[in-house]
């Protein structure tokens, strides 16, 4: 599993409030379909199936993004495999948002999802 989310408990009083309909299921579905089409056109498969060679050759990070990722790898003691997974997840985030290039915002979000992996690792 590449994405870990901590979802806090919703207070009972909030459950009685009207649901925020800012984005309908149909809108989310359209966003996912568009992201899949971008992936298919770019590489012929979902981002999750990309190998290290493709990532290093095609998903080139800019200097700020590379620096941000490298600092996170060092600080969180993450592996090379985690690096690849972060890059793939960041590309998926960009695909969902309709952005062509991986940026610091996407790298930060992807690192945040991986960081929970470190916070909740069960003892051996």
């Amino acid at each position: 599993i590449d994405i870990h989310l901590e979802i806090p408990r919703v207070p009972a009083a909030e459950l009685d409030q009207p649901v925020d309909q800012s984005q309908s299921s149909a809108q989310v579905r359209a966003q996912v379909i568009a992201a899949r089409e971008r992936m298919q056109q770019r590489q012929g498969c979902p981002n999750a199936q990309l190998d290290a060679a493709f990532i290093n050759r095609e998903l080139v990070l800019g200097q700020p993004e590379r620096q941000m990722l490298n600092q996170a790898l060092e600080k969180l003691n993450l592996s090379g495999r985690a690096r690849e997974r972060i890059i793939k997840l960041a590309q998926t985030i960009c695909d969902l948002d309709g952005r062509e290039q991986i940026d610091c915002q996407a790298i930060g979000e992807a690192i945040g999802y991986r960081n929970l992996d470190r916070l909740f690792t069960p003892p051996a």
Side-chain angles (χ1 to χ4, degrees):
I1 296 174
D2 287 337
I3 301 174
H4 296 91
L5 298 172
E6 182 179 5
I7 308 297
R9 185 182 68 79
V10 177
E14 285 186 34
L15 295 174
D16 291 331
Q17 301 300 316
V19 176
D20 178 17
Q21 295 292 332
S22 59
Q23 203 173 24
S24 71
S25 293
Q27 290 170 315
V28 172
R29 184 177 193 278
Q31 189 178 15
V32 170
I33 289 170
R36 285 182 178 163
E37 288 174 1
R38 275 192 279 291
M39 291 175 205
Q40 192 66 31
Q41 289 175 356
R42 183 178 54 246
Q43 68 233 10
C45 66
N47 292 336
Q49 294 178 358
L50 298 178
D51 61 16
F54 184 92
I55 292 168
N56 290 327
R57 184 180 65 248
E58 301 293 331
L59 301 182
V60 179
L61 301 178
Q63 179 61 30
E65 293 78 17
R66 196 169 43 251
Q67 183 177 3
M68 181 181 197
L69 180 54
N70 289 340
Q71 286 174 348
L73 293 175
E74 291 296 323
K75 184 175 181 179
L76 299 172
N77 197 29
L78 297 173
S79 67
R81 184 169 178 260
R83 177 187 182 276
E84 291 174 8
R85 295 172 104 180
I86 289 169
I87 293 172
K88 288 192 278 188
L89 183 53
Q91 183 62 62
T92 300
I93 291 165
C94 288
D95 288 335
L96 286 168
D97 287 345
R99 294 178 282 168
E100 294 295 320
Q101 185 69 30
I102 296 174
D103 55 19
C104 284
Q105 178 183 347
I107 291 288
E109 186 174 343
I111 290 167
Y113 294 140
R114 294 295 303 176
N115 193 26
L116 282 175
D117 199 17
R118 293 291 179 193
L119 294 175
F120 298 108
T121 303

